[in-house]
Amino acid sequence: MELKADLVIVGAGMVGSALALALEHSGLDILVVDGGPLTVAPFEPQAPFEPRVSALSAATQRILERLGAWSGICARRASPYVEMRVWDGSGTGSIHFSAASVHATTLGHIVENRVVQDALLERLHASDLQLVGGARLEQLRHSGDDWLLGLSDGRQLRTPLLVAADGANSAVRRLAGCATREWDYLHHAIVTSVRCAEPHRRTAWQRFTDDGPLAFLPLCRGDDLHWCSIVWSVTPDEAARLMALDDEAFRDALGRAFEYRLGVVEAVDPRLCIPLRQRHAKRYVEPGLALIGDAAHTIHPLAGQGVNLGFLDAAVLAEVLLHALERGERLAELRVLSRFERRRMPHNLAMMAAMEGFERLFQADPLPLRWLRNSGLNCIDALPEAKALFVRQALGLSGDLPQLARV
């Protein structure tokens, strides 16, 4: 059986779902396909935290509000944070950011990825968009003006415009032969949730250790402010050692690495270990094809910006397509899709370069570089206006924002 659509989005994750919802009232015949079942699991408020979380910026919150998904997130579980404290574990440098410095109520929200996903899926199921779940993309070829997709359940799809939102290991990107630049950070990230003796005070904490950055991100379960999501970046050998520890030994090692800023670590959930690679597509677009989110770029989790970049990709691509529709242009034309690439690629590359620079600076051992980074942190911390620029950038209050993300 062959299904036809004006637009096929492969990947119903956070970014793909956001794009579909942003185009919900466009008049386009849209089909969203995903290898997963596209079911929404019942939410239990006291359930353990999912290990994978995102630090959603204010710009992302605005996008989700306008897509009708933010209320579903808040009905489940979201943890606002109002401050951030960063320090160098090998020196004396530190910096403190606060929402109050730019007259904002929060710096962002720490939200489990599953919570964001389910809130978006609820909206998808309530829409008139076509959804195909449980079917992986296995074949892809270009025929005339259309893309022909072969799914694992035997169905065939035909569309003039295909969007890859299927993550870092994108099948669309691979089958379409899109070139990428990739490099290994030679680090792994250990992620889990922990309960600390002291409350986190709605503060995101980050310590740069000799092995890599360690983040404690605030989580809320009801009125309990003692839980944090951790992202611990270490070398592969150290990751293997830490993953082999029993819970008690891991809690002790984690507490020492964090300098017991929130007291002892009292409890730890199951751990995941994720190899860290950076990847960037050389082009985001081809005729009739666009890559968004992790299918186009993956970034070091240093500042939790990856998913925010993806949501901005979705919002900008939707805006470009809607404007082209108004002008009667053919959406699949490269000159139309290139407008999306021109707006998003410089921003994404700048963020990736900044995160790469931070990561390399804090891994540097030479004494002059250690002095430079500690002096730099302390210098910026003493300049309120300089810190406010960082905060506005993190909140998404500046730059070329799509309409969905604007105040």
Side-chain angles (χ1 to χ4, degrees):
M1 183 176 78
E2 184 176 272
L3 299 176
K4 296 181 180 180
D6 298 323
L7 166 62
V8 169
I9 301 170
V10 177
M14 294 184 282
V15 174
S17 296
L19 175 62
L21 291 170
L23 295 169
E24 180 182 5
H25 303 297
S26 64
L28 293 171
D29 185 15
I30 299 171
L31 190 151
V32 183
V33 60
D34 195 275
L38 301 186
T39 55
V40 180
F43 180 75
E44 296 293 337
Q46 296 305 313
F49 293 100
E50 292 285 332
R52 291 175 181 262
V53 304
S54 294
L56 302 184
S57 68
T60 292
Q61 179 181 339
R62 287 192 289 271
I63 292 171
L64 291 167
E65 286 172 345
R66 286 164 178 156
L67 298 180
W70 187 251
S71 58
I73 291 171
C74 294
R76 290 172 171 84
R77 198 157 54 191
S79 307
Y81 62 102
V82 298
E83 296 183 68
M84 178 179 290
R85 294 187 178 274
V86 180
W87 71 101
D88 186 353
S90 300
T92 60
S94 65
I95 193 166
H96 167 241
F97 300 102
S98 72
S101 67
V102 292
H103 309 290
T105 55
T106 68
L107 288 176
H109 289 76
I110 307 300
V111 186
E112 298 149 82
N113 287 3
R114 183 72 249 178
V115 165
V116 180
Q117 181 66 69
D118 281 351
L120 286 163
L121 281 177
E122 276 186 345
R123 281 284 294 112
L124 281 180
H125 285 300
S127 73
D128 293 328
L129 298 163
Q130 297 182 71
L131 306 179
V132 175
R136 298 183 312 278
L137 176 66
E138 293 188 340
Q139 297 177 331
L140 178 66
R141 65 186 179 91
H142 207 226
S143 175
D145 291 332
D146 291 337
W147 288 97
L148 303 180
L149 294 76
L151 305 183
S152 58
D153 63 1
R155 277 185 278 192
Q156 303 288 316
L157 309 180
R158 178 185 291 270
T159 183
L161 179 56
L162 175 63
V163 174
D166 51 344
N169 298 312
S170 169
V172 174
R173 188 187 64 228
R174 173 175 53 83
L175 292 171
C178 300
T180 61
R181 296 184 180 91
E182 302 184 29
W183 58 95
D184 197 319
Y185 280 112
L186 303 178
H187 272 66
H188 291 179
I190 297 174
V191 297
T192 187
S193 304
V194 299
R195 193 178 195 280
C196 300
E198 298 177 14
H200 51 62
R201 306 193 292 279
R202 301 192 188 279
T203 299
W205 309 78
Q206 187 150 1
R207 178 182 185 249
F208 286 92
T209 75
D210 290 336
D211 286 320
L214 168 60
F216 273 57
L217 307 175
L219 296 172
C220 304
R221 182 182 289 152
D223 295 329
D224 187 353
L225 303 185
H226 290 254
W227 283 91
C228 290
S229 171
I230 71 155
V231 183
W232 194 357
S233 177
V234 292
T235 62
D237 288 345
E238 180 65 3
R241 186 188 74 82
L242 291 170
M243 291 296 290
L245 297 176
D246 61 28
D247 282 357
E248 182 178 1
F250 180 78
R251 288 189 282 110
D252 290 342
L254 181 60
R256 288 194 302 273
F258 192 56
E259 299 178 347
Y260 299 103
R261 288 292 177 104
L262 297 177
V264 298
V265 178
E266 298 178 334
V268 59
D269 284 344
R271 292 160 255 164
L272 289 181
C273 185
I274 305 167
L276 298 180
R277 288 185 64 80
Q278 183 147 304
R279 179 184 292 109
H280 191 264
K282 293 183 179 180
R283 293 292 308 270
Y284 291 179
V285 296
E286 293 182 9
L289 174 66
L291 311 180
I292 62 174
D294 284 355
H297 47 77
T298 57
I299 189 172
H300 195 286
L302 184 64
Q305 289 297 311
V307 72
N308 295 315
L309 298 182
F311 278 118
L312 288 171
D313 284 352
V316 169
L317 180 56
E319 189 168 280
V320 166
L321 295 178
L322 290 171
H323 287 169
L325 273 175
E326 291 174 359
R327 290 190 288 265
E329 296 175 292
R330 185 172 172 271
L331 303 187
E333 288 187 4
L334 185 59
R335 67 186 183 90
V336 171
L337 297 175
S338 293
R339 297 168 192 157
F340 156 71
E341 182 181 72
R342 286 197 299 271
R343 288 180 63 182
R344 291 303 302 148
M345 187 175 280
H347 181 269
N348 291 337
L349 283 172
M351 182 62 72
M352 294 172 79
M355 293 305 100
E356 179 78 3
F358 273 117
E359 198 270 341
R360 289 182 181 273
L361 178 61
F362 280 92
Q363 289 299 304
D365 284 327
L367 186 61
L369 286 179
R370 286 177 179 252
W371 177 86
L372 176 65
R373 73 189 184 213
N374 281 278
S375 298
L377 283 174
N378 290 330
C379 180
I380 294 174
D381 194 49
L383 298 172
E385 283 303 315
K387 287 201 298 182
L389 288 175
F390 280 103
V391 174
R392 291 190 188 97
Q393 182 68 33
L395 286 170
L397 297 176
S398 59
D400 178 20
L401 289 176
Q403 190 63 43
L404 281 175
R406 293 177 191 165
V407 176

